[in-house]
């Protein structure tokens, strides 16, 4: 096997990054040279950097702080992938291009939680006016462990040539009293519209919802267990678009012939004397009676409630504000969970009822979270709630729903971004549990 000195240096440099954090935090003398840095966070520590190929100018060169070295590869679609070591909130990627003052390069940025499946973040063309670092801002809510730059040639040829790269974390911004982190959780005072970090959507109770495409990971049978976690804020105890005996589905994965799980809130005056009952159900695909666990307590309009539902191979459980409240056997209703193609919706399940209020920080895990972890999540509500959620190894989807513009509901894991539909007011509420 032929080993060049440049490749040997690359291996040693990457190993040092992993072993002693020699490559991070990457806040070096080039930071002040970045002529496009705006409200974006510091350069994040890097565990490793790899490339799809190179010509002897290796990937490790983009971390050495020297614009006289570079990574280069021939061919459109060449990739450079940065491993941050763990999933991180992201706000931007700073790139310095070789010969960047005389030619424009076309590139795309994407992120991944596992290094296998990458979700697109944005695409752009470099300025063609500078060899210095320039920062491309990422969508609000972007996270990932792996960040990839895909280069699709330049105006002269098909080479990809980058001298330096920095991946940046989110900026700290104000969010009312207590502030917060963009894309994270802030304190905030008042019940009006939220700023980035404290924002939450408002559902009008008649047409508004979020829809997220189907994923096998959102079904109990895929891994033998599931956890659904969310914060819910009802703005009425007598919502008009109700169904059945007088209840509203405020989130769920199910539609005709393809039912799975759902969360439900019974309205005042319902036919079963279940006012304010909040339930977590699982059904057979055909529907009918489902196995459900619930709590039934007084509810204040405008109050945020932490709801967690778990399901394993035999039992459903529901938690309120970090504490277990009820459990029920699937066998009691002959429920045999199956994987269907129905989408996940927030604000409704299948358009037969609509929730009036706000839902935020929705997370799905591919196993039942232990009770201690659920309690820890609730305890983190006034601290770094994002960190508590993102630290879970079984996390398969996390929609903060803290956008303040646009129609995209970003998934922090990068698996499946959703869409605001039906007049949902993006950023219309303030998340303050």
């Amino acid at each position: 096997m032929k080993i060049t000195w440049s490749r040997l240096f690359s291996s040693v440099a990457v190993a040092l990054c992993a072993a002693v954090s020699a490559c991070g935090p990457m806040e070096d003398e080039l930071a002040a040279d970045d002529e496009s840095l705006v409200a974006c966070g510091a350069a994040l520590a890097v565990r490793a950097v790899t490339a799809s190929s190179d010509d002897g100018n290796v990937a490790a060169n983009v971390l050495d702080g020297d614009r006289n070295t570079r990574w280069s590869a021939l061919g459109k679609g060449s990739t450079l992938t940065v491993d941050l070591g763990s999933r991180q909130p992201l706000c931007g990627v700073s790139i310095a291009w070789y010969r960047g003052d005389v030619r424009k390069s076309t590139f795309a940025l994407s992120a991944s939680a596992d290094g296998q499946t990458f979700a697109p973040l944005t695409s752009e063309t470099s300025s063609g006016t500078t060899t210095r670092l320039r920062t491309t801002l990422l969508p609000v809510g972007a996270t990932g462990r792996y960040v990839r730059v895909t280069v699709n040639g330049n105006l002269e040829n098909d080479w990809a040539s980058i001298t330096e790269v920095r991946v940046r974390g989110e900026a700290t911004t104000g969010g009312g009293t207590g502030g917060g982190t963009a894309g994270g959780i802030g304190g905030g005072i008042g019940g009006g519209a939220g700023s980035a970090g404290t924002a939450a959507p408002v559902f009008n109770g008649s047409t508004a919802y979020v829809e997220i495409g189907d994923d096998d990971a959102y079904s109990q049978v895929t891994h033998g267990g599931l956890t659904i976690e969310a914060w819910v804020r009802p703005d009425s105890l007598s919502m008009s678009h109700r169904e059945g005996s007088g209840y509203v589905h405020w989130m769920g994965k199910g539609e005709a012939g393809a039912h799975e799980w759902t969360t439900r809130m019974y309205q005042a005056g319902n036919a079963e004397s279940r006012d304010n009952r909040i339930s977590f159900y699982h059904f057979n695909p055909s529907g009918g009676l489902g196995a459900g666990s619930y709590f039934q307590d007084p509810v204040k309009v405008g109050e945020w409630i932490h709801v967690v539902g778990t399901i394993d191979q035999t039992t459903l459980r529901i938690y309120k504000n970090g504490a277990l409240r009820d459990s029920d056997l699937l066998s009691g209703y002959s429920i045999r969970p199956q994987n269907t193609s129905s989408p996940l919706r927030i604000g409704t399940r299948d358009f037969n009822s609509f929730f009036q209020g706000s839902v935020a920080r929705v997370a799905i895990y591919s196993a039942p979270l232990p009770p201690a972890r659920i309690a820890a999540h609730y305890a983190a509500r006034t601290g770094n709630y994002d960190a508590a959620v993102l630290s879970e190894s079984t996390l398969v989807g996390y929609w903060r729903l803290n956008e303040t513009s646009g129609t995209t509901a970003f998934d922090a894991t990068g698996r499946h971004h959703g869409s605001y539909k039906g007049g949902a007011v993006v950023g219309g509420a303030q998340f303050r549990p």
Side-chain angles (χ1 to χ4, degrees):
M1 178 183 297
K2 181 179 180 181
I3 302 177
T4 65
W5 283 108
S6 59
R7 291 184 184 276
L8 180 59
F9 170 78
S10 174
S11 300
V12 171
V14 169
L16 284 173
C17 288
V20 297
S21 299
C23 298
M26 298 301 297
E27 200 60 62
D28 53 30
E29 70 275 9
L30 291 182
D33 200 28
D34 187 342
E35 54 185 33
S36 63
L37 265 181
V38 288
C40 192
L44 299 171
V46 174
R47 173 173 290 183
V49 60
T50 58
S52 55
S53 63
D54 65 65
D55 66 345
N57 292 295
V58 296
N61 291 342
V62 304
L63 302 179
D64 64 6
D66 183 356
R67 290 204 306 271
N68 293 313
T69 66
R70 68 184 188 273
W71 161 70
S72 292
L74 179 60
K76 291 183 178 180
S78 296
T79 62
L80 183 75
T81 303
V82 177
D83 178 4
L84 302 174
S86 62
R87 186 186 289 125
Q88 302 285 342
L90 308 170
C91 74
V93 177
S94 305
I95 303 175
W97 295 90
Y98 174 67
R99 301 190 72 236
D101 55 343
V102 296
R103 66 186 185 188
K104 298 180 179 181
S105 295
T106 302
F107 65 100
L109 300 174
S110 57
S112 171
D114 59 8
Q116 302 298 316
T117 302
F118 282 79
L121 296 174
T122 189
S123 57
E124 197 169 315
T125 299
S126 66
S127 69
T129 62
T130 182
T131 60
R132 301 193 304 184
L133 285 167
R134 288 184 63 88
T135 300
T136 298
L137 295 181
L138 302 178
V140 173
T143 69
R145 170 176 173 172
Y146 301 88
V147 177
R148 175 168 289 175
V149 184
T150 301
V151 185
N152 293 305
N154 59 71
L155 294 184
E156 294 180 343
N157 51 49
D158 291 341
W159 279 94
S161 295
I162 294 174
T163 61
E164 294 294 318
V165 170
R166 302 292 181 267
V167 178
R168 299 190 176 276
E170 289 183 322
T172 300
T173 64
T177 303
T181 301
I185 303 300
I189 297 297
S195 60
T198 65
V202 173
F203 300 104
N204 60 15
S206 58
T207 59
Y209 65 101
V210 170
E211 183 167 294
I212 299 152
D214 173 50
D215 190 310
D216 290 348
Y218 309 156
S219 298
Q220 181 270 351
V221 296
T222 302
H223 299 285
L226 198 68
T227 297
I228 310 300
E229 179 177 35
W231 289 83
V232 59
R233 189 199 77 179
D235 287 349
S236 172
L237 304 182
S238 185
M239 301 176 196
S240 58
H241 284 70
R242 58 181 72 181
E243 60 182 291
S245 63
Y247 51 81
V248 166
H249 287 135
W250 52 272
M251 181 169 62
K253 186 179 187 300
E255 51 192 9
H259 289 291
E260 294 189 44
W261 54 266
T262 193
T263 56
R264 176 184 293 181
M265 180 177 176
Y266 284 84
Q267 301 302 297
N270 73 87
E272 300 178 79
S273 299
R274 296 179 176 183
D275 294 20
N276 301 330
R277 178 180 292 192
I278 294 176
S279 309
F280 174 58
Y281 279 90
H282 207 295
F283 297 88
N284 289 319
S286 59
L289 293 177
S293 296
Y294 70 92
F295 54 85
Q296 189 169 344
D297 301 326
V299 174
K300 295 180 181 179
V301 169
E303 175 186 49
W304 284 100
I305 305 169
H306 184 233
V307 180
V308 177
T310 69
I311 178 173
D312 56 28
Q313 294 182 340
T314 63
T315 308
L316 286 108
R317 296 175 176 86
I318 192 168
Y319 297 75
K320 176 189 177 184
N321 293 344
L324 177 65
R325 294 297 302 274
D326 190 25
S327 63
D328 292 88
L329 294 174
L330 294 173
S331 60
Y333 290 87
S334 301
I335 301 301
R336 296 181 178 179
Q338 295 185 38
N339 183 1
T340 74
S341 60
S342 57
L344 165 62
R345 296 189 181 101
I346 304 165
T348 187
R349 179 186 66 172
D350 53 6
F351 311 123
N352 288 316
S353 60
F354 283 88
F355 180 74
Q356 182 179 343
S358 186
V359 182
R361 297 3 178 219
V362 175
I364 300 180
Y365 309 84
S366 61
L369 284 180
R373 294 303 306 152
I374 294 172
H377 286 200
Y378 178 69
R381 66 194 182 281
T382 57
N384 196 342
Y385 184 80
D386 270 6
V389 173
L390 293 169
S391 69
E392 302 294 347
S393 62
T394 57
L395 181 69
V396 294
Y398 182 35
W399 300 269
R400 295 183 179 97
L401 303 184
N402 67 339
E403 291 77 23
T404 56
S405 62
T407 60
T408 302
F410 289 98
D411 177 2
T413 72
R415 294 177 66 101
H416 275 304
H417 301 315
S419 299
Y420 293 98
K421 297 175 177 287
V425 182
V426 179
Q430 191 170 74
F431 177 69
R432 53 184 187 94

